[in-house]
Amino acid sequence: MATKLPTTDIRIGTELIRRRKGGIPLVCLTAYTYPVARLLDPHVDLLLVGDSVAMVLHGHETTLGASLEMMIAHGQAVMRGSARACVVVDMPAGSYEDSAAQAVASARRIVGETGCQAVKLEGGVDMAGQIAAIVAAGIPVMGHIGLLPQSVEKDGGYKIKGRTDETVAALMADARAVEKAGAFSVVIEGTIEAVAADITRRIAIPTIGIGASGDCDGQILVIDDMVGLTVDRVPKFVKEYADLRRVIANAAERYAAEVRDRTFPGPAHVFSDSKASSGTDGGDET
Ligand code: KIV
C-alpha cells in the first residue's frame, strides 16, 4: 500500500503559471489517476485532468463521452496523488456552453468537490462570456483554442487550424477574447506552427502548445500517448518517450506462461507455515 502524500502549501498556483509568460517553458501533462499523478508530480508544473480521459481510460470514441461526475472522480484521484503541481480539471462538453450561469455552477462543483486550482474549457470568442463569469466567481480558467476535440463531430474530424487567412484571423480573435475574459493561460491545439508562434508573441498570457509550436510558453501531451500506452490512434504531433505497450504485453505473456507451467507462484510468493514465527493466524501483512 502506498504511503499518503503529506499535505503541502507549496502547490503551484495559477498566478505563478501566469507569471511564467516568456520564461522557462511550462511543463504540462495530463493525468487521470492517483499513481500516475504521484509519478508525474515531481517533474511537471501543471497536471491537466483532461476530458481525454473518456477516450484514454474509458474507451469512448471522442471526448464527448466525458461527464461532470467522471471529471470530478478523476480530479479527486489526481489531487490525492499530487502535492506540488497546479491541477486543472477539464469542463466536459454539455457542462458550460448553454449559459454563464451553467458554466459557473459546473465550475463551482468541479473546484468544490476536487480542490483543484482551475478549470479548462474549449472555445474563444463564443465562450468569452462563460470564461469571464467563472473568473468573476473567483475560479481561475485555462482557455483552449485551435483544434477543439469537443467539436470534432461538428468539424467532421481532427482538422488542423490556421491554414487560411480567415481561420488565422479567427484564431487570433479567439486568443484575444480568452485573454480579455481573464483566463490565466490558454492551450493552443492542432494549429499551424507559425500561427501558434505569432499568437504567443501577441498575447500576454502563457500559451501551452499541443501540436502547435515550440515557441509556445509551455507544452502539454496526453500521458498515455507520451509513454506509448495508447492502443488506438496516436496523433502525429506525439513523441513517444517510452514503449509501455511492449512492456505490458511482454509482462502479460511471461505471466501467462508461468501460470500455465506452474512456475508462478514460486516459494517467494506464497505463505509458508508461520506457526513457528508468530503462533497466531491473521497477524502477518501481505
Ligand atoms: O483533454 C485533454 O487531454 C486536453 C489536452 C489535449 C490539452 O484537452
Side-chain angles (χ1 to χ4, degrees), residues 30 32 48 50-52 90 120 122 144 187 189 210 220 222:
T30 69
Y32 318 111
L48 170 69
D51 59 355
S52 50
D90 252 341
K120 175 167 84 57
E122 296 184 10
H144 186 152
V187 168
E189 179 167 358
I210 174 164
I220 189 163
V222 167

Side-chain angles (χ1 to χ4, degrees), residues 115-282:
C116 69
Q117 276 61 61
V119 296
K120 175 167 84 57
L121 61 83
E122 296 184 10
V125 172
D126 55 339
M127 288 298 140
Q130 276 84 338
I131 296 173
I134 299 171
V135 172
I139 298 172
V141 178
M142 174 182 253
H144 186 152
I145 62 170
L147 190 162
L148 304 179
Q150 291 178 8
S151 302
V152 73
E153 286 179 1
K154 204 170 61 195
D155 285 359
Y158 294 92
K159 303 266 170 66
I160 299 304
K161 304 292 175 180
R163 291 197 195 277
T164 65
D165 290 349
E166 200 185 343
T167 57
V168 171
L171 282 166
M172 193 59 76
D174 282 339
R176 291 221 159 97
V178 167
E179 175 189 28
K180 189 158 172 246
F184 71 95
S185 64
V186 60
V187 168
I188 305 180
E189 179 167 358
T191 295
I192 294 293
E193 206 262 325
V195 178
D198 196 34
I199 292 172
T200 300
R201 276 189 295 274
R202 286 167 190 260
I203 63 173
I205 55 172
T207 58
I208 312 295
I210 174 164
S213 168
D215 284 352
C216 287
D217 300 297
Q219 300 295 326
I220 189 163
L221 284 176
V222 167
I223 182 62
D224 290 55
D225 291 345
M226 197 275 275
V227 296
L229 198 50
T230 299
V231 286
D232 297 323
R233 169 186 163 276
V234 180
K236 174 192 154 160
F237 56 72
V238 170
K239 178 169 176 183
E240 293 187 334
Y241 286 83
D243 186 358
L244 292 196
R245 282 184 300 269
R246 194 175 54 77
V247 171
I248 292 175
N250 185 263
E253 192 182 334
R254 285 171 40 227
Y255 169 72
E258 292 190 6
V259 169
R260 288 184 185 121
D261 70 12
R262 296 192 187 279
T263 52
F264 179 84
H269 312 111
V270 292
F271 303 99
S272 57
D273 183 0
S274 61
K275 272 185 237 134
S277 56
S278 75
T280 55
D281 272 353

